[in-house]
Amino acid sequence: MSTTAPPAAFTAFPGATISPNTYVDVAYEDKLALWEEVKADDRFPDYLYGCYECGICVASCPSARFYDFSPRKIAQAAAREDIELIYEQMNDDVWNCSQCFSCNRCPRQNSPGGLITLLREVAVRNGLGTAKEALEGYGRVVYKIMTTGTQISPDMLQPDAFPDWGPDVEKTSDNLDVWRRALPPETLHTTEMSWVVSEETLIELYLIWLHSDVMDMIAEADEGLHMIILDVMEETLEDAGYEI
Amino acid sequence: MTTDTTFIPLSEIRKPPVPNPENAPTEDIREVLYELEAAGELIVQRVPEPYIEVMTKYGRTKKIPEQMTWHHKSCGQCGHIPGYSTSIFWLNRQFGMNYVDPYDQTSCTAWNYYASATSNAVAQASVASRNFAAAYATGYFPMIHCGTSYGHYKETRMELAHHKDLRDKVRDIMGKLNKPLVVPEEIVHYSEWIHAMRDRIAQRQTLDFTGIVASIHPACHYYKLVTEDAIYDPDIYGGQRTATVTGIVESLGATVGDYSTFFDCCGFGFRHILVQRDFSRSFATQRKIEIMKEEANPDVVITHDTGCVTTLDKSQFAAKAHQRNVGVPVLSDAQFAALAMGAHPYRVVQLHWHATDYTALLEKMGIDWEKAWAEFEVDLGRLERNEIEFLSWEDADAK
Ligand code: SF4
Ligand code: SF4
């Protein structure tokens, strides 16, 4: 039997760290507050039960094959409440995840992918710099989904946006109007949204965004985008007799 | 033949016993919902009759409505591969099913949520509940086209069932929209309808698919989220993988080309497909298409979700430019079934929106694609000259 004491990192549980602190300029209390916010989410207890450190999640994980990324490390850091490492992951790792939920096959019934959803959400809500960086170039998609109620429009298919999808993208964009009219389902006769969403429906969607703190999250992540979306919503809602 | 020595085809594994729902490791969420309904907390929309009963992972029975369905469309299908949605509607019409294709529907918004996290549990559950309430108001039952919407709605329904605080907040928002808090008794994916209808579809088959080898990609959000709700069948893979998609492919007489990375995702990644496509392209081609080619050499990949068709299909162009071993067309089960029943490859299945060359597949199916394209070009000419405003369902089936 070994008489050597385990490393301090494994004995000082919770709150111990095994990571080099790469974000020294951020106060421990601030990092802890973010972690408390993650834990306060109703879904958290369903996503983390502990961790066997078996690596089954890593074996299933597409992002682990491509990036320096590990769902096992995410689960372990969360289970140990390693505040420094969690903060580092919240900044540097979570945006690599594909959100495929292959890691749900965890024998401990964890959902590392679900934990990542929560970590991302807290990162956005608190306007973390790396969350803003991750969302750069993504604003037009957020704008599309929040203002039209659909995420993908046919007119997004432009050769400069999808050069790697081959020459057919250009063919599609050149013929877009006629090709869309060549679709038998009537709801698909649009080039600006995935399908035609009624005005009444959009108003209801805007009310949901306004009543569920989503607009505050957008403001933290991207102030300019927040203003543009709010403008569109205000105009529609005011025309319909609502006051914001 | 597989080159991976650790891969044992499921056909070589002894058939395990059929699961007994009494021993299911999870609760039956429907029971929880009925109790909440009895307590006046929410409304449970019942599956309309007639329905078809199928088995789910732990041996429970799930009801799949034949008709009276409210088609919850998919952003990516409608936006970029619209032959997918058109084929689902066409199949419903061929069987004379009564359905609604609503304008009163938004996206589930889960693609954006999984990509950017610019939302939260209350907003996501409210968007879901708004769509459910819109369906309930029509008397038609939600039929979900997108795998991610299906997975996300299963999760959302679970959260609503378990968290009173969430229910209260969502009910409050629904109240502001003058809508009730309503959840469907079953969350039904269109591919489950195709699976349940597979024998009837096969009876109406007009093309011979016996020479076709199809590799199946099961969609992650179909069976990895709330796994117990996905269809399993002891006669398909011994009940060890989801039966959806494989069931219809086998019923149509095609051969399933099995491969070792069936569990891997397609590489879609939600944010990656839009802003980090190097990941999506590499994963889709190196972990899926190339492995399929090496181990099964399929004529086609069949899958059942928006992102999977998009990623597996569109990623092949760049890989081909790098002389990789790719070049397999990718279709949804709905498009495959529609072609088998004689649907027009352009007017209905809309293959011109797909990127990977599919002409050899059509020839193997016995479809004269050049003639079909010439017919479609005539339609396009009429549309361009504004002789017709839109292509109608009647035009789509014109001989
Ligand atoms: S599969 Fe589960 S128990 Fe195993 S390392 Fe991953 S999170 Fe931990
Ligand atoms: S959800 Fe994320 S962490 Fe889990 S397997 Fe998929 S990519 Fe990996």
Side-chain angles (χ1 to χ4, degrees):
Chain A
M1 199 175 145
S2 168
T3 52
T4 317
F10 293 91
T11 52
F13 176 88
T17 186
I18 54 168
S19 78
N21 186 349
T22 48
Y23 288 93
V24 279
D25 50 334
V26 180
Y28 180 86
E29 290 68 33
D30 294 341
K31 296 172 183 172
L32 183 64
L34 294 175
W35 174 237
E36 293 299 336
E37 207 175 309
V38 173
K39 283 201 296 179
D41 193 293
D42 278 347
R43 294 165 289 180
F44 178 80
D46 294 330
Y47 291 165
L48 184 70
Y49 294 91
C51 179
Y52 299 144
E53 309 196 0
C54 62
I56 286 174
C57 52
V58 185
S60 317
C61 176
S63 296
R65 283 186 188 276
F66 199 80
Y67 302 109
D68 180 9
F69 171 80
S70 162
R72 177 183 58 82
K73 280 173 70 181
I74 301 279
Q76 283 177 6
R80 290 180 179 151
E81 304 203 58
D82 182 337
I83 304 302
E84 299 291 354
L85 183 54
I86 290 166
Y87 185 78
E88 191 184 309
Q89 291 172 340
M90 201 183 261
N91 279 280
D92 302 339
D93 289 343
V94 294
W95 298 101
N96 289 331
C97 168
S98 311
Q99 293 282 278
C100 65
F101 298 99
S102 300
C103 51
N104 278 7
R105 71 187 339 192
C106 163
R108 194 70 186 88
Q109 276 74 51
N110 295 334
S111 176
L115 277 176
I116 289 165
T117 313
L118 302 187
L119 290 164
R120 284 180 174 186
E121 207 180 299
V122 171
V124 170
R125 191 179 299 123
N126 289 277
L128 262 55
T130 45
K132 289 182 179 180
E133 274 168 36
L135 295 179
E136 264 169 29
Y138 196 80
R140 72 193 171 103
V141 182
V142 177
Y143 173 82
K144 181 69 79 176
I145 187 80
M146 292 191 67
T147 59
T148 73
T150 66
Q151 165 138 351
I152 291 296
S153 58
D155 62 10
M156 278 179 176
L157 277 174
Q158 298 298 332
D160 55 342
F162 295 93
D164 53 325
W165 284 5
D168 287 349
V169 176
E170 190 163 2
K171 222 162 54 187
T172 308
S173 69
D174 287 350
N175 294 298
L176 199 58
D177 172 62
V178 175
W179 281 17
R180 291 302 288 188
R181 290 196 285 127
L183 290 166
E186 286 171 16
T187 49
L188 303 190
H189 295 155
T190 169
T191 57
E192 289 156 13
M193 40 184 126
S194 310
W195 62 87
V196 181
V197 178
S198 76
E199 173 103 356
E200 193 99 325
T201 308
L202 271 183
I203 288 169
E204 291 177 352
L205 183 69
Y206 294 171
L207 291 173
I208 290 174
W209 298 144
L210 287 168
H211 289 300
S212 58
D213 295 338
V214 170
M215 292 310 291
D216 295 340
M217 292 179 75
I218 304 287
E220 281 296 337
D222 188 334
E223 218 172 304
L225 179 66
H226 175 260
M227 277 170 58
I228 299 169
I229 294 174
L230 201 61
D231 269 357
V232 173
M233 286 171 42
E234 268 175 356
E235 200 182 318
T236 310
L237 288 170
E238 275 166 15
D239 285 351
Y242 291 89
E243 260 182 48
I244 300 190
Chain B
M1 279 300 287
T2 174
T3 52
D4 182 349
T5 50
T6 59
F7 173 55
I8 305 166
L10 274 174
S11 53
E12 289 174 22
I13 299 172
R14 199 166 61 86
K15 223 178 184 181
V18 176
N20 177 354
E22 299 290 317
N23 302 329
T26 58
E27 68 187 347
D28 188 336
I29 192 70
R30 293 166 299 190
E31 299 300 332
V32 180
L33 292 172
Y34 301 143
E35 279 171 29
L36 287 169
E37 185 180 48
E41 287 251 7
L42 44 75
I43 297 169
V44 181
Q45 184 179 10
R46 301 300 196 277
V47 174
E49 293 189 24
Y51 52 76
I52 304 160
E53 292 188 333
V54 292
M55 193 188 86
T56 52
K57 188 169 185 178
Y58 300 134
R60 295 190 183 114
T61 299
K62 181 170 185 174
K63 299 175 201 163
I64 308 296
E66 279 188 12
Q67 56 178 316
M68 293 298 288
T69 43
W70 188 89
H71 284 248
H72 181 293
K73 297 176 288 300
S74 151
C75 299
Q77 286 172 29
C78 294
H80 289 179
I81 35 173
Y84 196 150
S85 343
T86 306
S87 295
I88 299 172
F89 290 127
W90 186 85
L91 287 169
N92 273 267
R93 300 177 78 86
Q94 289 298 304
F95 288 98
M97 300 302 188
N98 187 355
Y99 73 88
V100 170
D101 172 9
Y103 292 93
D104 185 11
Q105 184 222 323
T106 70
S107 162
C108 67
T109 73
W111 180 347
N112 178 58
Y113 183 52
Y114 292 132
S116 75
T118 50
S119 186
N120 56 56
V122 174
Q124 291 305 112
S126 299
V127 169
S129 302
R130 201 218 65 85
N131 278 330
F132 293 154
Y136 182 69
T138 65
Y140 286 70
F141 194 85
M143 168 81 69
I144 317 290
H145 285 195
C146 175
T148 280
S149 304
Y150 169 84
H152 191 61
Y153 284 169
K154 287 194 294 183
E155 292 255 303
T156 303
R157 189 174 65 149
M158 201 69 105
E159 288 158 20
L160 281 168
H162 288 151
H163 301 299
K164 181 166 171 32
D165 183 48
L166 178 68
R167 274 199 305 280
D168 289 346
K169 285 181 179 151
V170 174
R171 198 185 302 103
D172 184 49
I173 291 176
M174 286 300 107
K176 293 185 167 73
L177 310 182
N178 295 315
K179 289 187 181 327
L181 178 57
V182 50
V183 290
E185 182 181 27
E186 307 279 15
I187 305 288
V188 178
H189 192 235
Y190 85 85
S191 70
E192 299 182 322
W193 179 84
I194 289 186
H195 181 81
M197 292 284 292
R198 66 193 186 283
D199 292 338
R200 277 193 255 177
I201 292 172
Q203 279 165 14
R204 299 271 303 270
Q205 187 169 2
T206 57
L207 299 179
D208 180 9
F209 279 7
T210 47
I212 307 286
V213 176
S215 286
I216 312 297
H217 169 66
C220 294
H221 288 194
Y222 174 72
Y223 74 111
K224 294 172 185 172
L225 287 166
V226 193
T227 180
E228 65 263 37
D229 231 10
I231 296 179
Y232 283 68
D233 181 331
D235 293 329
I236 298 173
Y237 302 127
Q240 299 308 295
R241 297 185 202 165
T242 179
T244 319
V245 185
T246 303
I248 179 70
V249 167
E250 286 184 344
S251 294
L252 293 173
T255 302
V256 172
D258 205 2
Y259 62 104
S260 54
T261 56
F262 74 94
F263 189 81
D264 272 352
C265 86
C266 63
F268 183 65
F270 297 88
R271 55 177 287 97
H272 299 77
I273 193 71
L274 292 167
V275 293
Q276 269 169 264
R277 266 202 310 288
D278 52 342
F279 165 80
S280 300
R281 282 195 305 269
S282 304
F283 201 82
T285 53
Q286 292 173 25
R287 283 292 291 182
K288 299 297 287 193
I289 301 292
E290 286 194 331
I291 306 275
M292 290 171 184
K293 284 229 21 163
E294 207 177 299
E295 297 178 4
N297 196 24
D299 299 299
V300 62
V301 178
I302 306 294
T303 182
H304 58 152
D305 192 13
T306 316
C308 316
V309 174
T310 305
T311 312
L312 294 172
D313 176 35
K314 312 276 188 196
S315 297
Q316 294 186 48
F317 176 80
K320 196 163 189 174
H322 288 279
Q323 283 82 46
R324 305 293 308 207
N325 183 23
V326 294
V328 191
V330 185
L331 303 182
S332 69
D333 51 353
Q335 290 170 301
F336 194 62
L339 287 171
M341 282 177 57
H344 196 284
Y346 300 108
R347 290 169 175 162
V348 175
V349 183
Q350 300 271 330
L351 286 173
H352 45 292
W353 295 79
H354 292 235
T356 308
D357 187 6
Y358 49 77
T359 52
L361 171 71
L362 293 189
E363 283 165 13
K364 208 163 179 182
M365 288 173 163
I367 297 171
D368 184 344
W369 60 270
E370 285 170 308
K371 178 170 166 272
W373 182 253
E375 289 164 354
F376 188 60
E377 279 193 315
V378 172
D379 300 335
L380 294 176
R382 291 168 68 208
L383 288 162
E384 270 167 11
R385 293 189 298 275
N386 287 317
E387 288 167 25
I388 52 171
E389 197 180 356
F390 305 111
L391 195 73
S392 68
W393 285 112
E394 291 68 35
D395 295 329
D397 282 332
K399 292 290 169 215

